[in-house]
Amino acid sequence: MGRTKSIVRVSAFGILFAMNLGCFENKKNDHNDQTTGLLALLSINPTLGNYVYYNGTPNYPGGTYTAAGNVAVGEYNITNSLITRYDYDTGYGASHLYGEVQEVDLNRQVVYVRFRSDSTYSAGDYAWYRWTYNGGYLYICPDLSGVSNQTTLAAAKASNVDYYSDPTNINTGCGLNSGFSPTVWSRLQSK
């Protein structure tokens, strides 16, 4: 809960700071202050940080292909420009995904990315990561909706995020209707 309050405070400060930038007049009156304020506002991403991730809620019992909720299965490093996901080798091989941030939709709680060529899979394709908070934890659901068919940002944005992810069901609400069995959201905990 403390992390959530800190994120809200930082986000609120960033918004107030960005809004106040327009209150100061510069001598040239060339609107650079408005541009700076807009860029500051656009850079707000409440998921920024370095995390270890776990499957579902802390008491998630695990499944056929998923470790229990108390077993670390990988790491996320999230910046304003890149989401790096590293999956530990838990029996299926280790992998890296490097998603260059294309757009952040704060209302829908979605970050759209394009995977770099050095990603283990989906290189050059577009996808989304959706986040939510539940029980004081930050959770993220990666796009499992057919990334190999999403060769443009428009295609990733056309993917029905609500259809493929249910933020009210952390243990089976990620990857819905994707051709995979529904799976767990990833619980992110700061390193």
Side-chain angles (χ1 to χ4, degrees):
M1 191 63 151
R3 178 160 170 71
T4 302
K5 287 181 183 177
S6 295
I7 290 170
V8 170
R9 281 189 206 120
V10 169
S11 296
F13 173 77
I15 290 168
L16 290 172
F17 177 76
M19 289 170 49
N20 282 325
L21 285 174
C23 294
F24 302 102
E25 188 174 329
N26 65 25
K27 292 180 183 177
K28 293 181 184 178
N29 197 20
D30 61 4
H31 303 290
N32 282 341
D33 54 344
Q34 291 173 355
T35 302
T36 304
L38 180 60
L39 290 174
L41 185 60
L42 291 174
S43 72
I44 295 171
N45 180 346
T47 64
L48 302 179
N50 295 307
Y51 305 96
V52 172
Y53 84 88
Y54 302 81
N55 290 323
T57 59
N59 61 353
Y60 173 67
T64 304
Y65 301 107
T66 54
N70 61 354
V71 176
V73 292
E75 299 175 14
Y76 274 93
N77 180 11
I78 303 172
T79 70
N80 277 328
S81 61
L82 186 68
I83 296 179
T84 301
R85 176 180 167 166
Y86 172 65
D87 291 325
Y88 302 149
D89 185 351
T90 57
Y92 304 102
S95 64
H96 280 90
L97 283 174
Y98 301 100
E100 295 175 332
V101 174
Q102 304 296 300
E103 190 173 309
V104 178
D105 185 336
L106 293 173
N107 291 329
R108 297 182 74 199
Q109 294 181 269
V110 176
V111 177
Y112 295 97
V113 300
R114 181 171 190 254
F115 293 115
R116 292 188 334 201
S117 62
D118 54 346
S119 294
T120 303
Y121 49 89
S122 300
D125 293 328
Y126 291 78
W128 48 261
Y129 287 96
R130 187 175 195 188
W131 77 87
T132 193
Y133 293 93
N134 186 300
Y137 293 103
L138 171 63
Y139 290 90
I140 195 165
C141 175
D143 181 5
L144 301 173
S145 64
V147 174
S148 61
N149 298 323
Q150 295 172 184
T151 57
T152 66
L153 177 59
K157 290 174 73 173
S159 175
N160 189 338
V161 173
D162 295 324
Y163 185 70
Y164 293 112
S165 61
D166 178 4
T168 66
N169 191 349
I170 297 301
N171 289 334
T172 60
C174 181
L176 298 171
N177 306 304
S178 64
F180 295 102
S181 297
T183 190
V184 295
W185 286 64
S186 300
R187 185 179 76 254
L188 307 185
Q189 293 187 225
S190 294
K191 284 179 148 183

